[in-house]
Amino acid sequence: MSALLYVAPLLAAEPHTPAAIQEAAAQGDARAQATLGEMYHSGTGVVRNAQEAAKWFLKAAEQGNSSAQFSLGLLYELGDGVPQDASKAAEWFRKAAEEGNSVAQSSLGRRYSEGDGLPQDRNESLRWFRKAAEQGDDLAQFTLGEMYENGEGVAQNSQEAAHWYQKAAAQNNPDAQYRLSLLHEQGKGVAKDLQMAYFWLSLASKHAHYSETNAPQLQAAKNALRKHLQPAQREEAETRADNWQPGKP
């Protein structure tokens, strides 16, 4: 199993060698405990041991370390080093979310949406997805875009859908790029602009391996759109996509 999603990096003045991290963790340093948990989980500098990972994540989590709280939630979600328990996973995700951890907020939003370890609650789902999205979590931004586009838990609003897709797309989220392309093609929530649609679709196609939309579907959509553009328009959009950097509109 791969390493967990995120542990806050150690600062320059903090211990960095495995022995120093273990010593600091044993003395109660929460950041070192969280780092040691990740080391045991990933097998970095130590022999991989999921039970030891859970032990150190718990110690850090009980001190309010949000990355450890989130990681512990993941262990309960997966049943890795601890018994699989959706309710305990949700409990630790909530603690991390309340500490401001955007990934945990997004996870909590998904759990409320699906009723996974928590009662299904569209309002709570929307609240947590919005918190995560406002902190820049691209998956939460994409999900908010979907909710507004489809009227799931909120009034249908194409402008709001485009707003959140745009934010996620600017972070190189290929699913958001694809959806934003469709909105530009249809003129829903944004001005109808086939060249802009082709630009976002070109970007999405470059990262199809990260997308929920399969590569053949993206390529088929791109081929269909090509027919409605002049060669110069296609070339300009593709050049822009080739030179584009995340963070740009």
Side-chain angles (χ1 to χ4, degrees), residues 169 174-182 184-185 193-208 211 213-226 229 237-238 241:
D175 294 305
Q177 290 167 347
Y178 174 57
R179 296 294 185 86
L180 192 57
S181 169
L182 293 179
H184 276 292
E185 184 178 359
D193 187 331
L194 298 186
Q195 187 178 23
M196 184 63 75
Y198 191 79
F199 161 72
W200 284 115
L201 194 51
S202 296
L203 279 178
S205 299
K206 290 177 181 294
H207 305 95
S211 174
T213 308
N214 60 53
Q217 183 178 347
L218 289 172
Q219 190 59 51
K222 189 176 179 183
N223 290 341
L225 196 53
R226 284 175 63 89
L229 294 171
E238 288 175 348

Side-chain angles (χ1 to χ4, degrees), residues 126-185:
L126 176 65
R127 183 168 78 92
W128 287 109
F129 275 131
R130 188 179 297 281
K131 283 180 177 291
E134 289 173 347
Q135 289 200 72
D137 184 280
D138 67 297
L139 293 177
Q141 291 168 343
F142 170 69
T143 302
L144 267 187
E146 279 193 312
M147 294 172 75
Y148 276 110
E149 182 177 15
N150 300 323
E152 296 174 356
V154 291
Q156 194 278 336
N157 187 318
S158 296
Q159 288 79 13
E160 277 294 299
H163 169 77
W164 291 111
Y165 285 151
Q166 177 78 49
K167 287 185 173 295
Q171 297 193 66
N172 222 3
N173 183 301
D175 294 305
Q177 290 167 347
Y178 174 57
R179 296 294 185 86
L180 192 57
S181 169
L182 293 179
L183 292 185
H184 276 292
E185 184 178 359

Side-chain angles (χ1 to χ4, degrees), residues 47-129:
V47 176
R48 188 183 187 280
N49 186 318
Q51 289 77 23
E52 278 293 297
K55 182 184 84 172
W56 289 107
F57 282 142
L58 178 60
K59 287 180 180 293
E62 288 177 336
Q63 295 195 66
N65 184 286
S66 69
S67 64
Q69 290 167 341
F70 175 69
S71 294
L72 191 57
L74 280 180
L75 293 189
Y76 276 110
E77 180 176 59
L78 300 170
D80 186 25
V82 292
Q84 192 169 31
D85 189 323
S87 295
K88 278 192 172 293
E91 175 187 338
W92 285 110
F93 285 149
R94 177 181 293 282
K95 289 180 183 294
E98 289 173 346
E99 291 289 335
N101 185 302
S102 64
V103 182
Q105 290 169 345
S106 186
S107 296
L108 198 58
R110 176 184 60 80
R111 286 179 167 272
Y112 272 117
S113 176
E114 298 173 357
D116 184 8
L118 292 164
Q120 191 173 44
D121 189 323
R122 293 284 190 184
N123 290 333
E124 280 295 288
S125 175
L126 176 65
R127 183 168 78 92
W128 287 109
F129 275 131

Side-chain angles (χ1 to χ4, degrees), residues 7 15 21 29 46 53 132 136 155 161 222 242:
V7 170
I21 292 169
D29 185 291
V46 294
K222 189 176 179 183
D242 288 340

